[in-house]
Amino acid sequence: MDEEETAGYSEPCAQCAALDWGLSEEGRFFCRSCHNVIERTKEVTDLTFIQGANRISTLSRDSRAKKTGGGHTWMVCEGFQLILMNQADALIGLGVHPHFKDGVLRQLWRLYLQKSRQAYCVNRIRSAKFRWGATDSDSDSATEMSAASASGTEGESNPPSSPSSKGGSDWSGSVDSLCYLTPQQRRSRSLLSLKKTLALIHLALVWSREALTLSDLLWLVNCGRVPYVNAHEQLPEQMKLFGKDALLFNAETVPSHHSLHKEAQDLLRFLQLPAFPPVSQQTLLHPAPLTLRYLIDANLPGELHRWVCGVAELAGLLQESSQTIHPECQPSLLQYDLQAAALIIITMKLLFGLDDHSEWELSNSASCADGAGAPFNLRSWYKLMQAALIRARHRRERDTARRQWTAKTPIFTRKKDKCWIMKKKRVAEQLQLCFKKLSSQPEGLQEAPTSSFRFCWGEQEGADGPSLHHTGLDAVVGLKNGTLTPHNQSYWHSLLRPCKPRRCQNHFSDLEETLPSSFVWLMGLFSFLLDVKPSCLYEEVLSVERRLFAPPRWNGD
């Protein structure tokens, strides 16, 4: 198409002397060889008859900018709403029940808009109203709450503002983006952000008691199965993003487990939600089934599950009241994934010691019984897991390096930057195409199916190693007075005294050199499985140990 448009221009390029011209979106000529942009624009003939004469017009950047194209003005909350619904649709496509979106997430979104005074209230904090264009009322029926959240309630006295006023399309694509960037709004907890959409998704998943923990949600986001980075690319074409919208809708990194949990915790307090549905032992978020899942993923014996459940019962974590979020009894948002991993680590400390001495002595006794029915050997398991862990970390680093983080449709902060940004984008795409041809990655490589398990154990092709789930614990437990008792009789733990929240995250970094190396390695293994920092998991281990060993109150300092 560009060859036909530029066929009448036969001047060579002033930089490379090539004769290969293309036409940019602004109607300007650029050299395909060196990407040099010249001042020449394409003159076209308008075939519309006006009183029997043809009109010659010049396509330039200004003439295109003045065209409305029959679109509609839109608000920031509508943009985040469409992104939120796209994230929910992606989860439903992965197997989440549709009630999660229709019955839970919609209600949370409406409640958030009402609490933050953006809709469903009399006195809204912004005066702009959403207006549908004449050509978009039929095509943009994305969600039921779309028009309601933007138009507010009936009887609202605030007059609508025009798109050309301050904060309108002259400054950004949305109508009210400048209202979200004021110092007062930046300090407010009701400020919309992409991280808050994931926090709403997480609260809705917990309320629906879906088998997706916070680490699973972040894993799906990192894999690209749930839109987050460059999520604005899925917005309709009528919702153009530029200017100040880049500060609201552009995300270059995925939030960490700790920061997203804190965001969801603040959102839980802000919404003032009632008691969540009870989390029973049949719910996959409960420690009983969740620890079994992590035991399988870590290739640990199945007999270890009964001991993990025993530790959870002693800590009081098997009751529904301890696992259900309630404003009076359990006001904080539980970290189900970290809690389950902490229970497994504490059980491993109870049975094997993990003091750099006891576990290897028990492994020596287990190695004496070789054969088909050999018991679980911690040394053999460590060698198998260490090799698989190194390969898995290399795969994660390789996939992260190959992932496309930049947006295909960038957001322009200023209109005058569009020319050189598009030129830079064309150069990057051409270089990427060259590197793709030179790389060893085969064409048509299909993406691996998403799984909650990080490893694959068994005898099948492509497995990370043989499965040890069927092995027993005869080398570490035995009958004593008719009761199964661990051979290890000692249990060590760090200081269990609660401290200030700001100092909690420094516990692991301060004590890492003094802690046993086997315990630190086990912490690193489960930190990799959950994609969290070891310090966050270590604080959850201390929290469960306080429930097991610490007295209910501390007297004095």
Side-chain angles (χ1 to χ4, degrees):
M1 185 65 180
D2 288 352
E3 289 77 3
E4 299 177 0
E5 299 289 343
T6 60
Y9 187 67
S10 58
E11 295 292 333
C13 178
Q15 290 188 4
C16 64
L19 189 58
D20 188 10
W21 297 104
L23 193 64
S24 65
E25 296 180 355
E26 296 83 9
R28 305 183 67 178
F29 283 57
F30 70 93
C31 180
R32 296 178 182 272
S33 179
C34 64
H35 300 279
N36 177 33
V37 181
I38 63 176
E39 297 297 330
R40 180 179 177 86
T41 57
K42 175 64 179 176
E43 294 184 354
V44 298
T45 303
D46 191 351
L47 298 179
T48 304
F49 288 95
I50 302 177
Q51 296 181 358
N54 292 343
R55 179 172 54 87
I56 305 299
S57 61
T58 301
L59 293 180
S60 63
R61 188 185 309 175
D62 295 335
S63 63
R64 290 193 176 190
K66 294 179 181 178
K67 296 182 179 180
T68 57
H72 64 267
T73 59
W74 57 280
M75 300 174 61
V76 170
C77 63
E78 185 198 9
F80 281 108
Q81 176 177 276
L82 291 176
I83 292 177
L84 185 66
M85 294 300 107
N86 289 335
Q87 293 171 345
D89 292 336
L91 290 174
I92 293 176
L94 293 173
V96 176
H97 197 277
H99 178 73
F100 150 77
K101 173 186 174 182
D102 300 329
V104 181
L105 186 59
R106 289 178 184 269
Q107 301 301 326
L108 289 179
W109 176 245
R110 291 191 180 109
L111 181 61
Y112 170 76
L113 292 177
Q114 184 181 17
K115 291 283 186 179
S116 58
R117 294 170 54 201
Q118 299 179 62
Y120 304 105
C121 60
V122 178
N123 298 320
R124 293 173 55 192
I125 60 176
R126 280 171 293 277
S127 59
K129 281 189 176 181
F130 174 77
R131 298 187 186 125
W132 290 100
T135 60
D136 302 317
S137 57
D138 298 331
S139 60
D140 282 334
S141 56
T143 57
E144 176 189 359
M145 71 186 78
S146 179
S149 64
S151 61
T153 57
E154 296 182 0
E156 190 174 3
S157 59
N158 294 329
S161 62
S162 62
S164 60
S165 62
K166 184 178 181 181
S169 59
D170 293 340
W171 295 87
S172 64
S174 60
V175 178
D176 56 343
S177 61
L178 288 183
C179 299
Y180 288 84
L181 301 175
T182 60
Q184 182 180 2
Q185 281 295 320
R186 284 183 177 273
R187 293 190 299 266
S188 176
R189 292 183 301 173
S190 62
L191 178 65
L192 279 167
S193 63
L194 286 174
K195 186 192 295 187
K196 200 175 294 292
T197 61
L198 288 185
L200 280 168
I201 291 285
H202 177 52
L203 288 180
L205 288 173
V206 175
W207 186 284
S208 305
R209 293 170 294 181
E210 291 288 340
L212 281 177
T213 61
L214 183 56
S215 59
D216 295 329
L217 178 61
L218 290 175
W219 171 262
L220 294 174
V221 171
N222 278 296
C223 291
R225 299 303 180 95
V226 176
Y228 182 80
V229 178
N230 304 326
H232 63 273
E233 294 182 340
Q234 298 184 4
L235 294 177
E237 296 182 358
Q238 295 84 357
M239 300 175 64
K240 296 182 179 180
L241 299 177
F242 60 90
K244 302 299 181 181
D245 296 328
L247 302 176
L248 297 173
F249 293 93
N250 191 21
E252 298 180 352
T253 58
V254 179
S256 63
H257 189 283
H258 176 72
S259 63
L260 187 55
H261 177 264
K262 186 177 182 299
E263 184 77 22
Q265 181 69 43
D266 295 339
L267 189 60
L268 178 64
R269 298 192 186 99
F270 177 74
L271 296 179
Q272 298 177 353
L273 296 176
F276 279 50
V279 178
S280 61
Q281 294 194 14
Q282 287 72 30
T283 306
L284 295 180
L285 289 178
H286 194 270
L290 194 57
T291 52
L292 180 59
R293 167 190 157 185
Y294 291 152
L295 286 174
I296 296 175
D297 201 5
N299 203 14
L300 288 168
E303 292 185 9
L304 198 62
H305 185 248
R306 59 181 296 185
W307 293 93
V308 174
C309 292
V311 172
E313 185 176 3
L314 291 176
L317 296 176
L318 291 184
Q319 293 81 4
E320 291 185 358
S321 58
S322 63
Q323 298 298 321
T324 304
I325 302 173
H326 196 280
E328 298 178 358
C329 304
Q330 187 62 261
S332 60
L333 185 62
L334 297 176
Q335 303 183 79
Y336 296 98
D337 44 3
L338 298 187
Q339 186 184 86
L343 287 172
I344 296 176
I345 293 174
I346 292 174
T347 306
M348 295 281 288
K349 287 174 62 178
L350 181 66
L351 296 181
F352 297 93
L354 297 183
D355 54 3
D356 290 342
H357 300 287
S358 303
E359 64 271 20
W360 307 127
E361 294 178 358
L362 294 173
S363 298
N364 293 334
S365 61
S367 61
C368 297
D370 295 332
F376 177 75
N377 191 325
L378 186 67
R379 180 181 286 107
S380 302
W381 172 78
Y382 165 76
K383 294 179 180 179
L384 179 64
M385 289 300 303
Q386 178 65 8
L389 185 60
I390 293 175
R391 293 192 300 267
R393 284 174 175 170
H394 288 169
R395 286 197 303 267
R396 176 176 293 185
E397 294 176 357
R398 180 194 60 194
D399 295 340
T400 303
R402 288 182 175 179
R403 190 172 300 127
Q404 182 69 27
W405 293 98
T406 58
K408 295 181 180 178
T409 55
I411 304 177
F412 307 106
T413 56
R414 296 181 300 178
K415 292 182 179 179
K416 63 180 182 180
D417 297 337
K418 184 177 181 180
C419 182
W420 70 268
I421 290 178
M422 295 303 297
K423 177 180 177 181
K424 183 178 178 181
K425 179 176 178 291
R426 288 194 296 265
V427 174
E429 289 177 350
Q430 190 171 6
L431 289 175
Q432 185 179 5
L433 181 61
C434 294
F435 282 120
K436 187 176 181 180
K437 292 180 179 179
L438 294 175
S439 63
S440 59
Q441 184 177 3
E443 294 290 339
L445 183 63
Q446 297 181 355
E447 191 176 357
T450 303
S451 174
S452 300
F453 294 95
R454 304 295 184 263
F455 298 101
C456 177
W457 306 107
E459 302 298 335
Q460 64 271 25
E461 184 179 358
D464 293 293
S467 175
L468 302 178
H469 193 64
H470 62 280
T471 57
L473 299 175
D474 300 336
V476 294
V477 297
L479 287 175
K480 185 177 181 180
N481 298 329
T483 305
L484 279 176
T485 308
H487 295 327
N488 177 54
Q489 297 297 320
S490 61
Y491 186 91
W492 63 270
H493 59 78
S494 303
L495 182 64
L496 300 180
R497 183 185 299 273
C499 67
K500 296 180 180 180
R502 292 183 179 179
R503 296 182 56 189
C504 284
Q505 57 184 355
N506 298 326
H507 270 162
F508 188 77
S509 59
D510 295 340
L511 300 176
E512 187 173 2
E513 296 181 357
T514 60
L515 292 173
S517 58
S518 58
F519 173 75
V520 173
W521 180 87
L522 187 62
M523 293 284 298
L525 171 63
F526 281 97
S527 298
F528 175 81
L529 293 178
L530 303 180
D531 198 11
V532 298
K533 294 182 178 179
S535 58
C536 298
L537 181 56
Y538 182 68
E539 289 306 318
E540 191 66 29
V541 172
L542 292 181
S543 177
V544 177
E545 286 182 335
R546 292 188 190 106
R547 300 177 67 101
L548 284 171
F549 307 113
R553 289 185 179 181
W554 293 96
N555 297 323
D557 297 329

